[in-house]
Amino acid sequence: MEFIGVDIVYLLELTWDSHIYRFSSRPIILDNDSENESLSFQGTLSEIEYIESSNLFGLVIEEQAIPMELVFDSINLVKERMRGRVLDNSRGELSYIILSRETDSTKDDYQDRIILFRGRVSQPIIGDRSQPIGHVAFSLVQGVEVDDFLIEETTRQIPSENPATIGKYYPFVFGKCGSKNYSRDESGDITIDNYFVAPAYLRENSPWVPSANLVIAGHPVLATSVRCIDGVGVESTRAITEVFDDKNRFVFSQVDLYSDGGAGFTLSTGDNARYYVAWTGGGLPNPYGEGVLEGGLDIIRYILEQGDIDVDWKSFEGYAPLLNSYKFAGYLNRPTKALEFLQSQIIPYMPCEISFGKLGMRLVVPLMYNTLYSNPTRSILENASFYFIGSLVSELELNEIVNHVVMNYGYSAKTENYIGLQIEVNPNGTMNDSFKSTSIYSDLSFNRYGLRTRSLEVPFVYAVEVAMRIAHDLVRQKSLGVLRIQAIADISYNDIEVGDVIDITSDIYFLNEHPCQVIKKQIINNSVQFELIFEENPIRHPRQTGD
């Protein structure tokens, strides 16, 4: 099906050596009223195959690419290449406008164009002797490599003559790692204590000068004191001081182990010297609000802002209450790849996906959480301009079902193990224990599929309530699965984005204003093909079959 009476005209703008070249799928001139000018687009752009998709969970950093061909008017690209003018890495923007077939014109201003994709030219192919001299084929790509940038605070080495500190890096400390951890004593009773989690490094020690400074972080910290322990078990609370260079620039945070005579600390310069800290007051202050940097969304923002990548910050709006309730803590004491850290240690334990969209990296919150924090973008009654095709497909394989979770959390550098009391979500469990519980989702899934267990280790979570929430989230996501279906719509529905939640009513599929989420979108001719998922979840969405 096509949107009758209109055509899509694709527009491509390439910025090459500070000059903008404009191409289109058919020749067109657009008014740009804001600049009081008319813009001419060469009609030499090939057919475009545009596909956008989402996994809904995790960090997706693979390159997304759109192949295309076009012809520069009166430019010999081989000649320009031999002169040193390379097209590689030029910025490009793909968009479209709608053209009336009846009048062969558009009412759209240039500013009304619909932007689909922004990226850079990759692997241009020129010099095909069967084509005009200005012909080029390339991919417009968007994406970065996971090692493109490092978290800045993890890159500075500690200057020291202490053999145990040489080659070590200033720790980057966030959250409150080691604060209020639970354990069971010999009688089985639950106790609460602060644990020594993060390493610290003895910067200097001299028998002639009573000074023993312990480096605890390479940045300002929220805490005013920390509890320290050495390798043989001597411990004491120490006040934190900040160290500045001769130009009054901050260098690191430290404590003085000699401030009250050393309190019996082992001030060793040997290779086996070990010192650890319990961060009850918190590490790096939160640059986006009060307190310490610990909220999941704030950590993601803090790290992404350090990279030279485009981010669609508007897509993050409204989700801070949800995503900052996932509190993380810990330390990094070696150069750390930023996106790799987010991909492996932060985002997998949050209900979101970060992937590349048309305006850069964007945030998508999955269906089962999205409707709690934002309204559906629109309601649709299945009709001739928006209708389902194909079959209902279960999105989860049987071996992906999870209704029983066992989790260890809170890693300690001192013990080289997880110090948090193990938690469990078990369909055969009880609801009256802070560390062992069940849920209606695990129970329903167990009745359908039997016991399906997943074990997790989460090193950068120390709060038991956050750990339990992550465990319940995994059950929520994987216990029942979702159904996937395809739909065809006319081009007027193209404002629906991947990640959007829409309410759909369909008599054929027994859906009544049922929330569905778009996970894939493809423009084909003058229509749009969507893939959507929805929950077959009698807990939140009662069945509509009537019988």
Side-chain angles (χ1 to χ4, degrees):
M1 183 203 68
E2 296 184 2
F3 193 13
I4 300 173
V6 301
D7 282 321
I8 292 177
V9 179
Y10 288 101
L11 311 174
L12 177 68
E13 294 180 279
L14 287 181
T15 302
W16 183 23
D17 283 354
S18 302
H19 181 76
I20 299 176
Y21 296 87
R22 295 183 172 91
F23 307 89
S24 55
S25 53
R26 58 175 295 177
I28 193 170
I29 297 175
L30 293 179
D31 292 330
N32 185 11
D33 291 341
S34 64
E35 300 293 334
N36 194 27
E37 63 180 351
S38 294
L39 303 176
S40 178
F41 288 78
Q42 299 179 43
T44 61
L45 182 62
S46 64
E47 284 291 325
I48 298 295
E49 182 177 342
Y50 174 75
I51 302 175
E52 185 182 0
S53 63
S54 170
N55 295 327
L56 295 183
F57 292 97
L59 175 62
V60 182
I61 54 179
E62 291 82 4
E63 285 187 345
Q64 298 189 38
I66 299 179
M68 56 185 65
E69 297 183 37
L70 55 86
V71 177
F72 284 84
D73 185 30
S74 303
I75 296 180
N76 188 322
L77 292 180
V78 173
K79 184 177 182 180
E80 296 303 312
R81 177 64 185 248
M82 295 302 105
R83 287 176 171 176
R85 288 189 69 205
V86 295
L87 195 57
D88 307 65
N89 211 39
S90 297
R91 288 187 176 271
E93 178 194 276
L94 180 68
S95 61
Y96 76 88
I97 53 97
I98 294 176
L99 190 70
S100 169
R101 290 179 184 168
E102 182 177 350
T103 62
D104 200 33
S105 63
T106 180
K107 296 180 180 179
D108 291 339
D109 183 79
Y110 169 75
Q111 299 297 335
D112 297 326
R113 73 198 186 282
I114 307 299
I115 298 172
L116 294 174
F117 194 85
R118 286 174 175 156
R120 293 180 179 271
V121 173
S122 175
Q123 296 183 318
I125 300 172
I126 59 176
D128 185 341
R129 297 179 66 177
S130 67
Q131 299 288 346
I133 59 174
H135 176 269
V136 58
F138 60 86
S139 292
L140 197 64
V141 301
Q142 188 180 68
V144 296
E145 298 296 331
V146 294
D147 59 352
D148 262 11
F149 66 99
L150 298 172
I151 299 175
E152 182 179 351
E153 288 84 356
T154 68
T155 60
R156 295 190 300 128
Q157 279 192 328
I158 303 172
S160 175
E161 296 181 2
N162 184 345
T165 305
I166 293 174
K168 298 294 193 299
Y169 289 79
Y170 289 107
F172 170 44
V173 182
F174 57 96
K176 298 178 181 180
C177 51
S179 176
K180 292 180 65 176
N181 286 278
Y182 295 81
S183 60
R184 293 187 191 271
D185 59 22
E186 293 181 357
S187 63
D189 295 330
I190 296 174
T191 60
I192 303 175
D193 200 357
N194 298 317
Y195 281 84
F196 299 95
V197 169
Y201 302 106
L202 191 64
R203 183 167 177 263
E204 56 187 81
N205 178 39
S206 168
W208 302 281
V209 180
S211 174
N213 296 321
L214 202 61
V215 176
I216 59 173
H219 50 77
V221 298
L222 191 67
T224 57
S225 64
V226 290
R227 193 153 185 83
C228 307
I229 192 170
D230 65 13
V232 296
V234 178
E235 61 179 88
S236 178
T237 298
R238 288 290 188 268
I240 298 172
T241 59
E242 295 181 343
V243 177
F244 296 83
D245 64 14
D246 55 4
K247 296 183 179 179
N248 202 34
R249 294 174 299 192
F250 178 89
V251 182
F252 59 89
S253 297
Q254 68 172 15
V255 296
D256 186 356
L257 296 183
Y258 244 92
S259 58
D260 59 358
F265 276 102
T266 304
L267 303 180
S268 171
T269 60
D271 290 341
N272 61 346
R274 299 289 186 269
Y275 302 91
Y276 304 95
V277 172
W279 284 92
T280 57
L284 184 73
N286 185 8
Y288 313 112
E290 298 180 353
V292 67
L293 181 66
E294 62 181 350
L297 188 62
D298 287 341
I299 291 173
I300 292 170
R301 178 180 175 184
Y302 183 78
I303 291 177
L304 290 183
E305 285 182 345
Q306 297 187 21
D308 183 22
I309 51 177
D310 295 326
V311 180
D312 180 8
W313 292 116
K314 187 176 181 180
S315 68
F316 287 65
E317 293 178 1
Y319 292 114
L322 169 65
L323 299 181
N324 276 335
S325 66
Y326 293 80
K327 299 185 184 302
F328 297 86
Y331 67 91
L332 300 173
N333 62 342
R334 65 189 66 181
T336 303
K337 299 174 183 179
L339 297 181
E340 186 177 272
F341 174 69
L342 291 179
Q343 186 181 41
S344 62
Q345 303 298 343
I346 302 296
I347 296 177
Y349 309 113
M350 298 172 62
C352 68
E353 178 198 65
I354 294 182
S355 59
F356 287 100
K358 61 188 179 184
L359 300 179
M361 299 194 80
R362 56 92 189 269
L363 177 75
V364 175
V365 172
L367 174 68
M368 55 197 67
Y369 303 93
N370 197 304
T371 53
L372 300 177
Y373 291 86
S374 64
N375 295 320
T377 58
R378 65 164 68 183
S379 295
I380 298 173
L381 174 65
E382 186 179 12
N383 58 78
S385 64
F386 187 109
Y387 60 91
F388 292 121
I389 61 173
S391 306
L392 289 173
V393 179
S394 179
E395 190 70 4
L396 283 181
E397 299 286 345
L398 188 59
N399 61 5
E400 296 176 307
I401 298 293
V402 177
N403 51 41
H404 176 216
V405 176
V406 179
M407 179 189 293
N408 293 311
Y409 62 98
Y411 186 80
S412 168
K414 182 177 184 298
T415 64
E416 297 184 345
N417 207 342
Y418 290 87
I419 56 176
L421 193 60
Q422 187 181 78
I423 62 172
E424 183 177 7
V425 178
N426 191 335
N428 300 315
T430 60
M431 298 288 286
N432 58 358
D433 191 313
S434 298
F435 305 93
K436 294 183 179 181
S437 69
T438 186
S439 77
I440 54 178
Y441 292 101
S442 62
D443 291 346
L444 180 57
S445 177
F446 175 75
N447 290 333
R448 284 187 183 180
Y449 307 110
L451 192 66
R452 302 282 172 173
T453 302
R454 177 80 59 86
S455 297
L456 289 180
E457 293 182 343
V458 186
F460 291 96
V461 168
Y462 291 84
V464 62
E465 62 273 14
V466 176
M468 184 61 77
R469 186 174 184 180
I470 292 171
H472 276 277
D473 280 352
L474 182 60
V475 170
R476 178 73 176 85
Q477 295 161 18
K478 301 289 189 180
S479 59
L480 301 178
V482 294
L483 297 174
R484 173 168 47 88
I485 193 170
Q486 293 183 333
I488 291 287
D490 66 39
I491 199 64
S492 63
Y493 289 91
N494 191 52
D495 60 328
I496 298 174
E497 303 280 356
V498 168
D500 282 356
V501 174
I502 55 181
D503 282 345
I504 292 183
T505 298
S506 169
D507 292 338
I508 297 175
Y509 290 100
F510 303 98
L511 303 177
N512 182 25
E513 296 184 346
H514 199 101
C516 300
Q517 189 163 29
V518 179
I519 62 170
K520 188 174 182 180
K521 172 182 173 182
Q522 182 176 5
I523 299 177
I524 303 174
N525 297 323
N526 292 333
S527 60
V528 188
Q529 182 168 312
F530 296 105
E531 283 192 13
L532 305 102
I533 59 169
F534 63 90
E535 291 186 279
E536 191 275 302
N537 179 352
I539 297 170
R540 289 192 60 187
H541 309 293
R543 304 182 192 280
Q544 302 293 324
T545 58
D547 295 325

